[in-house]
Amino acid sequence: MITLTRPLASSALAMTLALAAPTLVQAQTRADAPIALRIDAGAPGAKIDRNIFGQFAEHLGTGIYGGVWVGKDSPIPNTRGVRKDVVEALRAIKVPNVRWPGGCFADEYHWRHGIGPAETRRKTINSNWGGAVEPNTFGTDEFMDFVDQIGSEAYVSVNLGSGTVQEAAEWLEYMTADPETTAGKERAANGRREPYKVKYLGLGNESWSCGGAMRPEYYTDEMKRYARFVRNYNPKQTGAEAMQRIAVGPNQGDTAYTEAVMAAQNGHDWAWNIEGLSLHSYTTGGWPPSYSSTSFDETAYAKLVKETLGMDGLIATHSAIMDKHDPEKKVPLVVDEWGLWLAPLPDTNPGFLVQQNSLRDAIVAALNINIFARHADRVRMTNIAQMVNVLQAMILTDKDKMVLTPTYHIFKMYLPFQDATFVPVKFEAGTYAQGDITLPRIDAVAVRDTQGKLWLAVTNLDPTRSASVLTDLAGAKASSARGQVLTAPRLDAVNTFAAPNAVAPKPYAAKAGAKGLSLDIPAKSIVVVQLEP
Ligand code: AHR
């Protein structure tokens, strides 16, 4: 394991600095001066839709089998086959929606393989992910039971790549039609009489690549047929509860799908529409992913953080195109795959995308959430990849053991941000430099929660310098701050089954002094606090 150190000044250099010209000394002083942070609570912005805290659960590695589903006869405590420990942990972060069954898997998924008595389920090959045998024991009814157990909404991605419109239409019929119909009777025979609620419907996945490598124009034509014919029959899903159809959109900065799909949406007629455009953007450090999740130096940290901050420009680029076609912002940008995609852990199946999750991941998660919050007028839903055991996971499991990752803790600390109102914050972030990479020293966002309370989240990106932040409520004073801080002695600190609390939130409190409310933000940390008047 490489120790994380910034290059220290040699004693000769240190001496030079001590005797240095005033400019050098002043630069040092300025960097350590308190950062003034002005919170303009009187100028509220957009609502931060709780759906930006959505999850993605694909049939991939042990993301479902082992991670969520252990089967009814398992010695691991479960409710109808779904792990109790995982359900409890997910309930605690109020997961707003779960995207399923993929990913690339979705465009080869045939839903009929995953319904009915266990002995009739077809065993297939998961050709996208490690060639594993897909037992189909976790299918539609199990997924719907799972989202019910965690108190979430279903985001179902239909197979537009290798399936047909009819197959997808019949799936929705199975899930949502009246119990007196043949499809509804089949559902009832499988244990569920009432129609399910399918709040979000994905019309394919990455159709520019694993979903069929389609030209944007071709995809757009196909997508319209799915948007038209794949109907939701649940009588309760009207008005605000109506199903939202999410079309495939851009890969990273490629704008071809954004242009084609949004131009089509702009010209849609009564017969079809979409209510979301997907964006996929991972932080990888290059392809194929080679950055380690357990052992990395500060340069690797800085590179990945810099790449993470690129999410802001990506959203701005796609939002500008969307604004052209949809100036009223009716169609949200749905970032339904994001997060760190790192090298697979040694001795794991590379097709299972297993990686650890460190304090760095927590910082990356917080920075992404901050970006989504700043774009809350257009970004109204996102799904981190992925929920359990895959990529930047919330939870890691191994047989009966479970551990919560640093990323999980961020999702929990940010709970007050769900459905909160964005509050503008102004500050000079200062800089943190590593080699030739320059990053902002801090990042901050503020919100007014649904109870009217003011919250501030500050991330200190610098691994070695704490930052002092002097808050100002645009005239009004804050008397105190109370919340939590997440940090650890090292950026590559991780939680393991043996040491599950190496990176865990700790209580944080501060009181106003003569100069106001000053918050000491430790190096490499995330602080989320409620500000009291
Ligand atoms: O999350 C892993 C994969 O990444 C998904 O299946 C696919 O949509 C994307 O390329």
Side-chain angles (χ1 to χ4, degrees), residues 56 58 60 99 102-105 129 205-206 210 280 282 337 341 353 385-386 390-391:
F56 173 33
E58 180 166 17
L60 193 176
R99 180 171 181 253
C104 298
F105 179 84
W129 305 115
N205 170 75
E206 297 194 354
C210 71
H280 287 186
Y282 286 94
E337 288 189 28
W341 187 327
L353 311 187
Q386 298 194 3
V390 178
L391 299 177

Side-chain angles (χ1 to χ4, degrees), residues 222-234:
E222 284 293 292
M223 176 273 287
K224 289 180 195 169
R225 299 171 62 225
Y226 280 73
R228 166 78 181 137
F229 299 118
V230 182
R231 296 173 193 271
N232 186 316
Y233 297 99
N234 186 334

